[in-house]
Amino acid sequence: MSSLTTEATTDLQQLATDIVTQARKAGATDAEVVIREGDEFSTTVRLGEVETLKESGSRGIGLRVFVGQRVASTSSSDFTEDGIRHLISGALGLASVTSEDPFVGLADAAEFGQVDFDLNLYHDDVYSLPTAERIEYARRCEAAAMSADTRIQNSDGGTFDAATGRKVFANSRGFVGEYLSSYCSVSTSPIAMSKNGEMQRDYWYSTARMLGKLDSPESVGAEAARRTLRRLDGRRIPTQRAPIVFAPEIARSLIGAIFEAANGDSIYRGASFFTGKLGEQVAAESINVIDDGTIVGGYGSSPFDGEGLPTRRKVIVENGVLKTYLLNTYTARKLNMQSTGNAVRGLAGNPGISSGNLYLEAGKLSPEEILREVESGFYVTELLGQGVNMVTGDYSRGASGLWIENGELTYPVQEVTVAGNLKDMFRNITAIGNDLDFRGSVASPTLRIDGMTIAGE
Amino acid sequence: MTTSTGHQRYFFEKFGLSERLLERCLGEALSAGGDYADLFFESVSATSIGIDESLVKSASQGVSAGCGIRVVSGERTGYAYTDNLSADRLLHAARTAALIASGPARQPVAGFTETQSPNLYPIPAADLDSDLNTKLNLVMRADRSARAYDTRIKQVRASYSDELKRILIAASDGTYASDTQPLARLNVFVLANDGQQTTRGTGGGGGRVDISYFLSEKTPEHFATEAARTAILQLGAVAAPAGEMEVVLGPGWPGVLLHEAVGHGLEADFNRKKTSAFAGLIGRQVASSKVTVVDNGTMPSRRGSLNVDDEGSPTQETVLIENGILKGYLSDKLSARLMNMPHTGNGRRESYQQIPMPRMTNTYMLAGDDAPEDILRSVKRGLYAVNFGGGSVDITSGKFVFSASEAYLIEDGKITAPVRDATLIGNGPEALKYVSMIGHDLQLDEGVGTCGKDGQSVPVGVGMPTIKLDRMTVGGTGQ
């Protein structure tokens, strides 16, 4: 059903540049337009029966205008001439109440550009399957989990999702660009029950930019079942300090925290514990963290950022030393630096900062070798809640997982917290796995961190 | 006084809809059979203005409109939406949603019956963008007030945002409802620095109110002082304790405990599917006999309140736990029908692009008899938590967390040192059994709650009196 044919391309680019021109005529000294268009399909199959089937598309326009050193923005789903007139007059009206800010403005013309090779972000095969076969993907995934063990008799369902999107971007300093992206995923969330009636659920998934790269529904279902079953009959443990081993799918949230700490918006305000730490040791010497928006087929890849600057690869942390902040045009000017091509913008508002493909470089140890070194510790497979304070670094989250005893995984643990301070945690990473695997735009191998507190009984 | 007919007229005039077209769409939606179909039209305009480093750095406005069409057949739901409200596109969306069913066509009930609803919130008399300068003035006052609080306040960000959402719902069971829903919020975020360390503080609130609320009832100075006070307080904070202990929760927003520990677990969809830790516990003891918890969507001007839910049904007060006994679930039309249980008017959705599901409105615990001072005095060693960032729950295992952003040690019945941020964790069906004292000081939160479920965010309220839990696990790093 994809409506994203190439025919529409020139029309939307033309519309974007027309709006830029009209905004300039109406009094803007500079203007920037983003147009987004997308289709989505999703289905859930529960206990073998279709539960939901959803199929639709939508689009929107966002406009940012500059009047001297003032800025304002509007957004709309109304593509009529009247709607666009309102979009422009509204933005100019708002710009009359904002303040003059010497750091506001589009990037310099020389900075605009795009990655000059095909990032392979779009495959229309995500829509090639007929609806019946998409449903079959979801059904097969759930069925594989349900048939894994008799303790699994219930489920939150299996899903299959597909989406395609087009993003068109133009500004008054001559940049026009667009790209298409596609996405599909299959997942399931089985529920297991132990003899005493205790229930546990877990989840597994596969995502890809093309159908052919998706893991088989059967392998996703089997992994979901394994993850769910190992949680049954969990215990609490006494409050203590012990080494913690973060499974890769959990460790990636810590890499996200490194990104947040290096986010230029927090840096210039002094709202991050990385402020003023450029060139200093902020993590263990073995740590290398990279952000790269140019990985072919990557979930975090794009040919240009939210301001029309080419995305690029940069090393954020090298051998534990902080090498760069992550910046858009505004924060770069505030810090007297250059943008790192990390601008992101939605339809409304000023650009923010986001990562491309963000990862911690793999180490040499297998996950088993990491566990083998732990006499007594906690292997964390799930975190609950948002208890991370990026200003102070204080970290305290609900956790569940498995207890490590003499290098082996033993019984499941639940209803405990893990706590520390990110400043110390990054320095206390004492082992890095070789199991880096991109399942999204942020990835980490298995990590061991020492010195954290587990609160339980 | 705006009548409900006025809400409908907006859609009819602006988008050229008519009752005849609504009937045609419903007929098309049931053209392949199905038990039920509904149309959800939505038009939203939103404004936001922000001050940062004492400069007005952002001002934005957005408008969006669309319609979601749902067809229910047994336990199956087909859904399609469009942001183009022309007859062609609406009928096309209806046919897409109809694909869920396979059988002979059904006829919608002939004639609509308009849902009679109260008027729980004011509708701004003027357009949202007409008083930009008043909004600007609010954030400037917040900025000044926070900076004046203490010279150690180094950064202030304040924002004011409001939206006006108009909805129109027509369903094959004859439901016909419309509403105009305002929602406004003022937020203040500050950083304090004493030369040694940096801390943060937040304040904010609002509701289904217009701008006059922030000029009289809850002023920018109120929220700014709250943000500045907590940031300065944190400069002197010690490590939070770790382990199980007595916990006293202050009144108001700490009611997020109820939202996470019991509220989500009592949403009917999870219980219909038996995926909730509370499934099958109706009539059983799930809390101490002192505890009564309700969900109430009918409180005037509250952030979680609604004249009608997103299925066009009136909202109500629903008793969830009475004297410790589990009494009921929160249901939407689908779960009420499939479970053959009362329909409580809790069907909500984030926007026209999403399928409605059972959600909370304003969830709170009724007041008890204890004096808050007596509650604190009864604690030998524990934690007194008065403000929280947010929470989360695993519905199936019942494990929930909520993260304290302002808390103090209690030693020998006295509040002593403030502590750094820490997460509290518990088990939903068990945690409230340890409630041993309940204050007479019930308060609702200031209007900051946004609840996420299956990727859909909706505004909610929570509330609680001061309570004491004889044990709960505190996730700090200290002794």
Side-chain angles (χ1 to χ4, degrees):
Chain A
M1 78 150 205
S2 172
S3 65
L4 295 181
T5 57
T6 45
E7 290 153 38
T9 305
T10 46
D11 290 351
L12 286 186
Q13 285 197 18
Q14 190 60 50
L15 179 63
T17 50
D18 283 352
I19 296 171
V20 166
T21 308
Q22 286 178 48
R24 291 256 294 156
K25 273 190 192 144
T29 42
D30 266 314
E32 174 188 276
V33 169
V34 60
I35 300 180
R36 286 178 161 192
E37 194 179 58
D39 289 324
E40 63 161 321
F41 170 89
S42 67
T43 186
T44 307
V45 170
R46 185 170 171 268
L47 305 181
E49 299 287 334
V50 175
E51 186 175 70
T52 62
L53 195 61
K54 182 173 168 186
E55 185 162 355
S56 279
S58 64
R59 54 188 197 164
I61 316 175
L63 167 68
R64 204 157 65 108
V65 299
F66 301 84
V67 179
Q69 293 307 118
R70 301 171 194 269
V71 64
S73 68
T74 45
S75 65
S76 177
S77 62
D78 184 352
F79 279 61
T80 62
E81 270 181 44
D82 196 42
I84 286 163
R85 250 196 318 276
H86 273 105
L87 188 78
I88 295 169
S89 64
L92 287 165
L94 287 169
S96 68
V97 301
T98 54
S99 307
E100 293 204 0
D101 181 343
F103 302 100
V104 153
L106 293 181
D108 295 329
E111 290 184 83
F112 297 116
Q114 304 192 35
V115 171
D116 59 6
F117 50 90
D118 183 7
L119 287 170
N120 210 14
L121 305 180
Y122 179 74
H123 298 271
D124 56 13
D125 83 330
V126 298
Y127 275 124
S128 63
L129 286 179
T131 300
E133 282 181 47
R134 296 173 184 167
I135 292 170
E136 199 51 20
Y137 259 66
R139 194 196 61 75
R140 281 164 55 194
C141 191
E142 186 198 41
M146 300 278 302
S147 63
D149 193 289
T150 54
R151 288 170 295 174
I152 300 178
Q153 295 292 335
N154 197 358
S155 153
D156 261 338
T159 70
F160 176 83
D161 289 32
T164 55
R166 176 200 300 280
K167 184 174 178 180
V168 176
F169 184 83
N171 67 30
S172 56
R173 295 194 181 174
F175 182 90
V176 188
E178 78 165 84
Y179 58 91
L180 296 174
S181 57
S182 58
Y183 162 90
C184 55
S185 77
V186 59
S187 79
T188 189
S189 184
I191 291 171
M193 193 182 280
S194 71
K195 285 192 197 76
N196 63 17
E198 174 216 345
M199 285 195 297
Q200 293 288 347
R201 60 117 201 86
D202 211 303
Y203 168 79
W204 199 240
Y205 66 100
S206 171
T207 61
R209 291 205 179 270
M210 60 188 294
L211 201 59
K213 292 243 171 105
L214 220 47
D215 294 345
S216 80
E218 284 74 20
S219 68
V220 171
E223 175 63 9
R226 188 186 73 84
R227 295 175 62 85
T228 304
L229 291 165
R230 71 179 177 183
R231 297 176 68 147
L232 283 176
D233 300 315
R235 311 177 202 170
R236 307 189 64 208
I237 46 171
T239 299
Q240 62 191 286
R241 279 197 186 185
I244 294 179
V245 178
F246 289 90
E249 67 274 15
I250 295 305
R252 68 195 202 117
S253 69
L254 297 169
I255 311 313
I258 288 184
F259 177 83
E260 282 309 311
N263 182 320
D265 197 68
S266 302
I267 296 295
Y268 88 75
R269 296 171 198 285
S272 162
F273 51 85
F274 274 4
T275 301
K277 295 282 191 284
L278 222 48
E280 291 184 27
Q281 197 80 32
V282 296
E285 278 184 26
S286 51
I287 301 296
N288 293 295
V289 178
I290 288 132
D291 179 54
D292 187 354
T294 69
I295 294 177
V296 173
Y299 298 102
S301 297
S302 58
F304 52 89
D305 78 353
E307 295 181 302
L309 273 63
T311 55
R312 59 206 80 173
R313 178 182 191 274
K314 67 237 102 180
V315 179
I316 304 172
V317 174
E318 187 171 31
N319 301 325
V321 174
L322 182 64
K323 302 300 274 191
T324 183
Y325 299 136
L326 285 308
L327 306 168
N328 58 14
T329 298
Y330 183 82
T331 56
R333 286 180 185 156
K334 292 288 279 188
L335 292 161
N336 199 19
M337 293 176 171
Q338 292 293 310
S339 170
T340 56
N342 283 91
V344 61
R345 65 161 292 175
L347 286 182
N350 293 323
I353 293 174
S354 84
S355 53
N357 301 288
L358 176 72
Y359 62 99
L360 190 143
E361 256 180 16
K364 294 195 172 60
L365 299 169
S366 70
E368 294 73 23
E369 287 170 315
I370 291 177
L371 292 173
R372 205 174 298 148
E373 294 301 311
V374 179
E375 200 180 313
S376 178
F378 187 17
Y379 181 66
V380 175
T381 59
E382 188 175 74
L383 291 168
L384 199 56
Q386 303 83 36
V388 186
N389 182 333
M390 292 307 300
V391 174
T392 59
D394 286 332
Y395 183 97
S396 168
R397 301 185 69 183
S400 56
L402 297 153
W403 195 249
I404 311 164
E405 211 54 77
N406 299 319
E408 302 279 344
L409 296 176
T410 59
Y411 54 85
V413 172
Q414 62 176 354
E415 205 184 329
V416 299
T417 60
V418 293
N421 187 287
L422 288 170
K423 283 178 279 195
D424 306 322
M425 288 162 62
F426 295 152
R427 287 193 176 89
N428 292 336
I429 297 175
T430 55
I432 303 170
N434 60 5
D435 50 347
L436 180 69
D437 178 23
F438 275 96
R439 307 192 64 83
S441 63
V442 182
S444 171
T446 298
L447 296 178
R448 170 178 166 166
I449 298 181
D450 291 351
M452 292 179 70
T453 302
I454 303 165
E457 291 176 323
Chain B
M1 181 78 188
T2 309
T3 64
S4 54
T5 318
H7 309 308
Q8 290 153 14
R9 193 178 300 132
Y10 174 84
F11 285 96
F12 286 15
E13 286 172 3
K14 179 148 187 182
F15 301 106
L17 304 180
S18 63
E19 284 194 23
R20 174 84 193 95
L21 177 60
L22 304 184
E23 284 165 353
R24 273 181 71 200
C25 288
L26 288 170
E28 198 67 49
L30 292 180
S31 59
D35 304 311
Y36 172 86
D38 62 12
L39 318 174
F40 178 82
F41 291 90
E42 178 187 70
S43 172
V44 183
S45 57
T47 311
S48 171
I49 191 158
I51 195 165
D52 182 0
E53 298 187 298
S54 299
L55 296 174
V56 182
K57 288 193 190 178
S58 66
S60 63
Q61 276 175 356
V63 290
S64 69
C67 175
I69 301 184
R70 171 172 64 152
V71 176
V72 178
S73 175
E75 296 193 37
R76 302 167 154 226
T77 299
Y79 200 79
Y81 60 85
T82 174
D83 55 15
N84 179 332
L85 299 182
S86 67
D88 276 2
R89 299 296 290 269
L90 287 168
L91 290 165
H92 176 75
R95 279 191 288 274
T96 305
L99 293 173
I100 195 73
S102 51
R106 292 273 293 263
Q107 290 302 315
V109 169
F112 292 120
T113 309
E114 202 168 324
T115 304
Q116 296 304 312
S117 56
N119 190 3
L120 297 171
Y121 25 78
I123 296 157
D127 280 348
L128 289 177
D129 53 356
S130 67
D131 48 6
L132 258 181
N133 283 310
T134 317
K135 295 173 190 177
L136 189 67
N137 201 33
L138 290 181
V139 294
M140 289 169 72
R141 278 171 58 186
D143 177 68
R144 278 198 299 273
S145 171
R147 288 176 193 281
Y149 183 86
D150 192 298
T151 54
R152 290 170 293 175
I153 300 294
K154 303 295 184 195
Q155 286 270 346
V156 180
R157 260 187 292 166
S159 65
Y160 175 81
S161 30
D162 56 24
E163 69 167 39
L164 198 62
K165 178 190 276 197
R166 295 177 169 92
I167 60 169
L168 170 66
I169 298 140
S172 63
D173 62 1
T175 300
Y176 194 46
S178 57
D179 196 15
T180 300
Q181 301 164 345
L183 190 67
R185 180 166 170 169
L186 184 63
N187 275 326
V188 187
F189 175 89
V190 307
L191 292 176
N193 184 299
D194 61 1
Q196 307 279 316
Q197 54 173 336
T198 307
T199 54
R200 68 178 183 189
T202 59
R208 299 203 180 277
V209 296
D210 63 22
I211 197 160
S212 60
Y213 176 81
F214 301 95
L215 298 170
S216 52
E217 290 180 55
K218 293 285 167 113
T219 60
E221 288 75 17
H222 165 78
F223 295 120
T225 303
E226 178 62 13
R229 183 187 64 77
T230 47
I232 295 294
L233 181 88
Q234 286 294 319
L235 287 172
V238 301
E244 235 174 46
M245 63 196 69
E246 291 181 309
V247 171
V248 177
L249 301 176
W253 177 244
V256 68
L257 163 78
L258 307 172
H259 181 99
E260 306 298 353
V262 297
H264 276 299
L266 299 180
E267 289 165 341
D269 47 351
F270 299 124
N271 290 285
R272 171 169 70 82
K273 299 174 191 176
K274 299 193 166 36
T275 59
S276 165
F278 285 94
L281 295 184
I282 293 258
R284 304 266 287 272
Q285 184 99 26
V286 297
S288 112
S289 61
K290 298 180 176 212
V291 172
T292 295
V293 178
V294 302
D295 181 83
N296 184 354
T298 71
M299 308 177 82
S301 300
R302 285 280 162 198
R303 186 172 161 85
S305 296
L306 293 167
N307 290 326
V308 292
D309 74 358
D310 296 327
E311 297 182 305
S313 308
T315 56
Q316 65 175 48
E317 178 175 349
T318 305
V319 177
L320 300 175
I321 296 171
E322 189 170 33
N323 300 325
I325 306 293
L326 183 61
K327 287 292 180 184
Y329 298 133
L330 297 171
S331 64
D332 59 358
K333 282 184 176 177
L334 176 73
S335 53
R337 181 169 59 84
L338 291 175
M339 295 175 81
N340 197 20
M341 61 173 277
H343 174 212
T344 62
N346 286 83
R348 302 184 65 185
R349 55 180 124 200
E350 178 177 308
S351 80
Y352 72 90
Q353 299 189 359
Q354 274 111 4
I355 300 171
M357 54 188 164
R359 303 295 294 264
M360 284 172 263
T361 59
N362 304 295
T363 313
Y364 54 93
M365 183 187 293
L366 301 192
D369 300 326
D370 294 301
E373 313 79 72
D374 292 344
I375 296 178
L376 286 166
R377 209 172 293 142
S378 74
V379 177
K380 178 92 178 117
R381 176 184 168 273
L383 190 79
Y384 176 48
V386 299
N387 208 355
F388 285 85
S392 190
V393 61
D394 175 336
I395 303 292
T396 301
S397 70
K399 304 301 177 272
F400 69 92
V401 294
F402 56 137
S403 299
S405 57
E406 180 183 355
Y408 306 82
L409 295 176
I410 313 172
E411 292 164 292
D412 294 324
K414 291 193 183 64
I415 294 172
T416 58
V419 300
R420 299 170 75 112
D421 295 4
T423 287
L424 280 64
I425 190 163
N427 181 25
E430 296 296 319
L432 296 184
K433 291 180 180 168
Y434 298 107
V435 173
S436 59
M437 296 177 87
I438 301 181
H440 53 57
D441 55 343
L442 170 64
Q443 272 182 36
L444 274 286
D445 75 284
E446 298 219 270
V448 293
T450 298
C451 167
K453 174 177 172 184
D454 283 357
Q456 293 195 46
S457 295
V458 296
V460 295
V462 298
M464 202 163 65
T466 298
I467 67 167
K468 176 180 165 184
L469 294 136
D470 284 343
R471 61 178 207 195
M472 174 155 261
T473 299
V474 178
T477 57
Q479 291 303 302

